[in-house]
Every structure is written in C-alpha cells, then in structure tokens.
Amino acid sequence: MTDTPKKGWFQRLSAGLARSSQQMTETVVGAFVKEPLSEAALDRLEEHLLESDLGPAATDRIVARFRDLRFGKVSDEREVKEALAEAVAAELLPRQAVFDPLGLEGVGGGIKPFVVLFVGVNGSGKTTTLGKIAADLTARGAKVMIVAGDTFRAAAREQLKVWSERAGAHFESRRDGADPAGLAFDAYTKAREEGFDVVLIDTAGRLQNKSALMDELLKIVRVLKKIDPDAPHETLLVLDATVGRNALAQEQIFGRAAFVSGLVMTKLDGTARGGVLVPVAQASDAPIKLIGVGEGIDDLQPFDARAFSRSLVGLED
C-alpha cells in the first residue's frame, strides 16, 4: 500500500482503535498505577485481556511478562502502557509480513501479472478491501485487472464495477451463476496476453454449504495453476474484526482449505475488542499483511505490529 506519512496513519489507527484501547487499558492501567505490582492487579490484567479477546494463550504469556517486571512502588500510566504495548507487540511481531504485488520490496519477485485471490465470508469487507487495493495500485501506475469471481451476488459485482471505475482498473465479469473458475481462467489468460501487472480476483463467501464453497475455491486455484503452477501468487483471507472470536472460526474454515498466504483484518474501528487480532494471527499459518480502520482508501494499510500494539493501549506516537 502507499507509504502514508507515519504520523497521519498512526493518528488514524489510534482513532480507529480508541474503543479497543479504552476497553483494554482503563481498568488495567488504573490498577497498576494505584498500587504496587500484586497478584490482585495481575488477576485484573488477566481478566481484562481476556475480555479484549486476546485469547488465553497470549493472555497467559503477557501476564507472566508483567509478573517478571518489577514496577516501582508508584508506577505512572505511561510506564504501564509502554509495558503492555511491548508485551502485545512481542505476541504479534512474528506474525507480521508484507503484501507486495508489484515486487517493490522484493517479495513479489517481479511476477507479472501477479494474481491475488481474495477469500472470506460475505460481509467481511472482502470486496471493499479488493477495491481499495486496486485504487492504491493504479495510483502507483500499475495496470490492474479486477475479476468479479462472486458470480452469485449481483451486488458484489456492481460494487466491484464501481471500484474499478473509481480506480481506473479493467473489469471482468460474467452473468449471474456463471462458472467462477472459467471466468478466472479466461481473465488470467487475457491479463497475460495484454500485459497487466496485477490481477485481483474476488470470490464467493457463502458459508451455508461450506464443502461446496471450498470446492469452488479449489477449482479456481486449479485452473489458475494450469496457466502458472505458482498461481495464485497471493491468497488473502479478509476477516471482520467486529465478529470477535468468530473470526477464529472463519480462519479455520478458509485458512486450511484455501491455502491462505496472508490475512487482512478489517473494521478494527468498529469494535471494542481489537485484541482479537492476536489469537487469530497466532492460530493461522498465514501472517497478517494488512489492516483496515475506516472506509477511506488510505484506511487500509500494511500491518505494523508495534504501531498496532501502541495504538491498542492508547499510547501517543
């Protein structure tokens, strides 16, 4: 994504995570500031980390980290927040990775066209995420193709068509009920022939019949591999932070079946439990690559574990 000035993005991230920050730190910070480090304070820390959806494993490690600290008799608010931010960052730093379809940071390897498959349940922000990425890439001069692979939802196709027009990207779609794999195959073939840089493929997210959905996704992957054995070059699973711990279940459904290579967490500004990012990241075989904290194009940005952790506990930049 575009390199937004650090202060501007940090401010938006902090504003987006304000509800989560208040939920996580209000009581915890108060407990440690009012009294020396104690088992009672550690118990309250554990309780509130769990309420923030950090999950039991990460919570146990963070509480143990705090137990090893020896705060002075009087700890100020900043000291406690810094310690909590570092503890959360330690959980997330190993799960941070780069989304680089243009190969500018050496990740994409100069593949052209670079094919990105988007998976996730309907309503997760998948289509909007794809549109934001398209707008960012075309703004950097890339020739982008958007493929409306959810051929069962006319609304999704219309939304992507609007995004393609806004971004100046080429748009490929078919009639209602058409074969998504056939569309993906033809679109990828065309993209190779016409020199596109990136192909962004939307997919269906109906969970009413999980086996049929996974069969459909795997068929798309198989036909893409007929053209290039390494395609899709990136498979992003888009998760909605507002569903809390249900995001873990979604990761388990898609992550193992669809060969997900990266996670995108959206709508972090719409939840008081942004800490759910921690157990989701740790449960997944794929790292976090992007996060979203608003509706604007610039509100989808690369995941920075330290910036996220500091915003989550209400620290200024």
Side-chain angles (χ1 to χ4, degrees):
M1 305 298 291
T2 305
D3 291 332
T4 306
K6 184 179 178 184
K7 188 174 181 181
W9 166 238
F10 192 91
Q11 287 176 337
R12 291 202 303 280
L13 179 60
S14 296
L17 290 171
R19 291 174 64 193
S20 294
S21 171
Q22 184 176 9
Q23 166 78 12
M24 178 177 287
T25 62
E26 202 170 61
T27 306
V28 173
V29 170
F32 282 102
V33 169
K34 290 174 185 174
E35 62 185 62
L37 185 66
S38 68
E39 284 303 317
L42 289 169
D43 287 344
R44 285 196 288 278
L45 172 64
E46 180 178 23
E47 178 184 341
H48 286 280
L49 292 179
L50 288 171
E51 287 178 357
S52 299
D53 273 354
L54 265 79
T59 293
D60 286 348
R61 286 190 292 270
I62 292 172
V63 170
R65 186 182 177 112
F66 262 67
R67 183 176 279 108
D68 290 339
L69 292 173
R70 292 294 178 260
F71 291 126
K73 217 166 193 180
V74 178
S75 301
D76 64 29
E77 182 175 331
R78 180 85 184 189
E79 183 181 10
V80 175
K81 285 185 174 181
E82 289 280 1
L84 186 53
E86 281 303 308
V88 174
E91 296 293 319
L92 287 171
L93 279 167
R95 310 306 303 147
Q96 172 184 311
V98 175
F99 174 64
D100 184 27
L102 298 181
L104 300 179
E105 299 183 49
V107 178
I111 299 166
K112 184 176 175 179
F114 190 94
V115 179
V116 186
L117 192 66
F118 291 78
V119 302
V121 302
N122 293 339
S124 64
K126 173 164 49 72
T127 303
T128 300
T129 296
L130 189 157
K132 289 179 180 181
I133 289 173
D136 175 76
L137 291 171
T138 57
R140 289 193 274 164
K143 187 178 181 181
V144 177
M145 175 185 287
I146 291 176
V147 183
D150 185 351
T151 59
F152 294 90
R153 285 199 308 148
R157 293 200 302 280
E158 287 304 312
Q159 188 181 6
L160 275 181
K161 186 175 182 182
V162 170
W163 270 110
S164 68
E165 292 168 354
R166 185 184 304 174
H170 179 77
F171 182 66
E172 289 284 330
S173 67
R174 284 188 181 166
R175 69 186 186 283
D176 286 357
D179 177 26
L183 169 60
F185 182 89
D186 292 344
Y188 186 19
T189 301
K190 179 176 181 177
R192 285 165 63 96
E193 291 171 350
E194 298 185 10
F196 280 84
D197 297 302
V198 183
V199 179
L200 307 175
I201 305 176
D202 193 20
T203 64
R206 309 174 310 282
L207 282 185
Q208 294 88 338
N209 188 332
K210 288 187 288 189
S211 61
L213 175 60
M214 293 308 144
D215 288 346
E216 183 179 290
L217 290 175
L218 292 173
K219 184 179 178 184
I220 292 172
V221 170
R222 283 198 303 273
V223 301
L224 293 172
K225 289 187 180 299
K226 289 181 179 179
I227 301 172
D228 178 355
D230 294 326
H233 307 108
E234 182 91 82
T235 299
L236 295 179
L237 171 59
V238 182
L239 298 168
D240 175 352
T242 64
V243 303
R245 303 282 292 181
N246 284 340
L248 273 170
Q250 293 176 20
E251 190 284 326
Q252 289 166 2
I253 291 168
F254 286 94
R256 291 162 179 78
F259 307 106
V260 169
S261 58
L263 304 180
V264 182
M265 185 69 81
T266 68
K267 308 181 190 179
L268 281 161
D269 56 319
T271 180
R273 296 188 171 188
V276 72
L277 193 74
V278 175
V280 169
Q282 293 177 337
S284 177
D285 292 332
I288 302 173
K289 298 200 172 182
L290 300 166
I291 59 172
V293 292
E295 293 301 316
I297 290 175
D298 288 341
D299 291 327
L300 179 72
Q301 289 286 327
F303 176 60
D304 181 320
R306 290 197 182 280
F308 174 85
S309 300
R310 293 179 71 79
S311 295
L312 189 65
V313 304
L315 280 168
E316 299 295 328
D317 188 14

